[in-house]
């Protein structure tokens, strides 16, 4: 049986990291091309005796390049074309934390019949891994942009996921909050924005800009490079704030609170 | 209403360059009794075409309003109290412009739109709520009731989605009504509450009357807390987006 911390980590992967496969597969033209004629259901799962149905999973429904993500949902067995099935939650966590070896490799189902889909899917998975494990910002702006977008999505989804899973500190924070939106943004690039709406214990992670009201707090960066400097921990936050690479739209005390929870997600997904 | 004919016909209809400064407005002469409370003047004057209606927040703003009236052709109605208003502005250079609200406090949770002596109360309430409840309350000094600053109102609707109006005036016909007309015309939903006198006010000092009507800082604090617990628009989709 997985520990509570293992479950939190696993939910971050299922609901925060794995959904980025869709973002990468649709945003990178050479990868998008590979799914143009694909009609398949691909699932990543981890067996757990405590899970309803015996496993936790996220699955993707791909239809002619259109992706639908079903995070933390097990697909119908008959309709699953490709599946990467880990023996346990701990094994899946270890694999996605980079501990790849014979003990952590998943069982690969359906790869004989759907070799093409499997290979294309693995290429996206590898791309995601290279983006999320990078220690320095890439040189070209398109990759920087994709990386920032992925981090923004991962962090906002991660906080919302932990809230829904009852993470004590995050749950306490959302429970006491009125209807508020916290956003992550890069100047002049609304397409990478992400937000987190919280209210009385409820939360929702969203893509793009929140349109219904002005965010209560926005952590804004002046460029992709500045964003990656902070996200990868290669830039000094105080210096970045002083020199306008980080702009806090809202009360700094709320920024510190929000930033603290971003770090919590980062620690689980490290 | 026959007495209003002079204003209606001789001044507004003619666009005469007449400046009216009305003192003892609202409940500022509260102890004189209900017969001496001017609580319907904004409703009457803002209905008059061509008339610029200003309700300054304090002495400094009154000076700005008088300057603006002097320098602008056409009829003006400036509504002031008895000179005992709390001081909101420290100098003349805070950006006073006829028809443009002054943002006294930045905020994103809710907007309190006030005029006259209620602006100081709203600012006090905003400061208190920031410390006690961690709420971010925008306060607009809507000194010009007519023509009203539609842009600032719609910005508040879009950005904070909750609005409270506060005035030392009957709740109908004055600032709250003027703001609500803009909101309805704008076609965007928001939570909305109007604070003012529901009927003739009691006899007493202005501070007591304002507390009784809920238009002092404590009344505004209570109203903000009430509105913050309301949904400004039905949106109960809490599914994360992937």
């Amino acid at each position: 049986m997985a520990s509570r911390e293992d479950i939190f980590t696993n939910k971050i992967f299922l609901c925060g990291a794995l959904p980025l496969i869709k973002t990468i597969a649709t945003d990178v033209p050479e990868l998008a091309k590979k799914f143009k004629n694909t009609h398949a259901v691909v699932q990543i799962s981890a067996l757990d005796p405590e899970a309803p149905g015996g496993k936790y999973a996220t699955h993707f429904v791909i239809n002619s390049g259109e992706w639908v993500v079903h995070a933390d949902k097990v697909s119908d067995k008959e309709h699953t074309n490709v599946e990467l099935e880990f023996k346990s939650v701990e094994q899946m966590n270890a694999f996605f934390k980079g501990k790849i070896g014979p003990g952590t490799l998943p069982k690969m189902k359906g790869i004989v019949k759907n070799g093409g889909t499997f290979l294309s899917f693995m290429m996206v998975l590898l791309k995601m891994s290279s983006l999320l494990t990078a220690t320095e910002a890439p040189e070209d702006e398109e990759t920087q942009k994709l990386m920032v977008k992925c981090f923004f999505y991962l962090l906002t989804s991660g906080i919302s996921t932990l809230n829904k899973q009852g993470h004590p500190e995050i749950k306490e924070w959302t429970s006491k909050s009125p209807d508020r939106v916290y956003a992550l943004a890069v100047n002049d690039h609304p397409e990478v924005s992400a937000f987190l709406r919280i209210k009385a214990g409820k939360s929702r992670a969203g893509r793009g800009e929140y349109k219904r009201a002005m965010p209560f707090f926005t952590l804004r960066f002046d460029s992709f490079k500045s964003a990656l400097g902070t996200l990868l921990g290669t830039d000094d936050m105080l210096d970045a704030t002083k020199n306008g690479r980080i702009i806090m739209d809202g009360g700094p005390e709320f920024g510190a609170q929000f930033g603290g929870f971003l770090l919590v997600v980062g620690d689980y997904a490290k | 209403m026959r007495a209003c004919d002079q204003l209606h016909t001789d001044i507004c209809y003619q666009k005469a360059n007449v400046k009216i400064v009305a003192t003892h407005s609202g409940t500022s002469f509260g102890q004189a009794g209900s017969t001496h409370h001017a609580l319907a003047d904004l409703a009457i004057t803002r209905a008059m075409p061509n008339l610029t209606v200003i309700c300054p927040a304090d002495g400094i703003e009154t000076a700005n309003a008088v300057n603006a009236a002097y320098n602008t052709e056409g009829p003006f109605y400036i509504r002031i109290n008895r000179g005992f208003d709390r001081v909101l502005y420290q100098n003349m250079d805070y950006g006073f412009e006829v028809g443009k609200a002054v943002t006294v406090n930045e905020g994103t949770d809710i907007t309190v739109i006030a005029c006259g002596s209620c602006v100081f109360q709203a600012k006090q309430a905003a400061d208190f709520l920031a410390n006690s409840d961690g709420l971010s309350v925008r306060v607009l000094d809507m000194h010009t009731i007519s023509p009203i600053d539609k842009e600032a109102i719609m910005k508040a609707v879009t950005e904070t989605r909750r609005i409270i109006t506060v005035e030392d005036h009957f709740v109908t016909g004055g600032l709250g009504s003027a703001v609500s007309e803009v909101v309805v015309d704008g076609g965007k939903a928001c939570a909305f509450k109007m604070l003012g006198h529901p009927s003739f006010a009691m006899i007493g000092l202005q501070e007591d009357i304002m507390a009784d009507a809920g238009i002092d800082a404590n009344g505004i604090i209570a109203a903000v807390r009430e509105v913050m617990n309301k949904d400004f628009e039905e949106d109960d989709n809490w599914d994360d987006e992937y």
Side-chain angles (χ1 to χ4, degrees), chain A residues 160 164 180 199 205 212, chain B residues 109 134 161 231 235 238 240:
Chain A
S160 183
K164 285 169 180 168
R180 278 179 177 165
K199 178 192 166 190
R212 292 163 56 86
Chain B
D109 281 330
R161 306 304 291 273
D231 278 331
D235 178 17
W238 293 100
D240 292 330

Side-chain angles (χ1 to χ4, degrees), chain A residues 174-226:
Chain A
T174 60
S175 298
K176 289 177 180 167
S177 176
D179 199 343
R180 278 179 177 165
V181 169
Y182 291 77
L184 294 168
V186 172
N187 280 348
D188 305 321
H189 292 280
E191 69 276 16
V192 302
S193 301
F195 65 84
L196 176 75
R197 180 183 171 212
I198 58 172
K199 178 192 166 190
K202 292 179 280 189
S203 64
R204 177 176 183 256
R207 315 312 206 190
E209 288 179 314
Y210 188 68
K211 302 278 189 195
R212 292 163 56 86
M214 191 179 171
F216 175 70
F217 179 87
T218 302
L219 183 61
R220 184 183 297 285
F221 299 93
D222 71 337
S223 67
F224 294 130
K225 208 163 184 179
S226 299

